[in-house]
Amino acid sequence: MTTTTTFALIRHGQTDWNAAARIQGATDIPLNDVGRGQAAAAVAPLSRYEWDFIVSSPLSRAAETADLIGEELGLDAARRIPGLIERDYGPAEGLSAGAQLDALRFPGGFHGAETEEAVAARGIDALCELARHHPGERIIVVAHGTLIRLSLENALDQSIGSINNASINLVHHHYDHADGAAEWQLEVLNGELLVRV
């Protein structure tokens, strides 16, 4: 028997730091008005599907995006999951392109930042935990661009590219109860249909 749990992975709406191309990471920056509009616009594509509940990162930009979406879809208040917080970029947070940021760079990351491997691991752990406790359900997960990208790349073993603000990314977690094997399948990326399931 195989159980399929479906996730809509949604990056939060825009913030002022997004607009200024500043690294946010774990810094708690709120949505701006553009971001609130993006959250509202995410409702239409999500409403084409049935959803059981919604969860989010505890950071306010993700939490507010989730609350706006959940209210429009008639879902109960979103539960906050700490494992969905964005990558901690350490001293790079708040910086934009330039000498100060370049000084923190090294191949594959930034000095003092959480590793990509650690981010992917906790993102996948959070999703697998949801799948374990809610097998076969359909769950909206509002989180962050880097966390979503790294989690998907880890799960699918392929490059994904940037995740757009408030776009829908539909992924299925197939769990085989006989042998305990799990397989991930990406159906929609940044609102674009990749494969029909």
Side-chain angles (χ1 to χ4, degrees), residues 6-76:
T6 297
F7 297 101
L9 305 180
I10 309 291
R11 181 186 176 192
H12 59 80
Q14 188 192 79
T15 70
D16 287 345
W17 279 23
N18 286 150
R22 296 173 68 185
I23 293 178
Q24 289 180 123
T27 304
D28 199 359
I29 306 300
L31 290 181
N32 60 23
D33 287 340
V34 170
R36 292 182 186 95
Q38 290 171 331
V43 171
L46 286 167
S47 66
R48 298 188 198 117
Y49 307 89
E50 294 292 323
W51 300 104
D52 292 298
F53 63 97
I54 185 168
V55 300
S56 80
S57 155
L59 295 179
S60 63
R61 58 191 185 267
E64 185 178 358
T65 300
D67 290 346
L68 290 167
I69 290 171
E71 184 176 354
E72 289 297 316
L73 293 177
L75 300 172
D76 289 340

Side-chain angles (χ1 to χ4, degrees), residues 23 87-93 95 100-115:
I23 293 178
R87 181 184 186 186
D88 186 340
Y89 283 91
E93 294 190 8
L95 301 180
Q100 197 176 358
L101 184 60
D102 289 342
L104 294 171
R105 285 187 192 277
F106 66 91
F110 297 92
H111 292 287
E114 185 179 12
T115 66

Side-chain angles (χ1 to χ4, degrees), residues 155 172-176 181-185:
H172 306 281
H173 177 267
H174 306 292
Y175 181 75
D176 189 325
E183 179 185 330
W184 295 86
Q185 181 182 23

Side-chain angles (χ1 to χ4, degrees), residues 161-175:
S162 298
I163 302 296
N164 299 333
N165 286 106
S167 64
I168 183 170
N169 303 282
L170 206 60
V171 63
H172 306 281
H173 177 267
H174 306 292
Y175 181 75

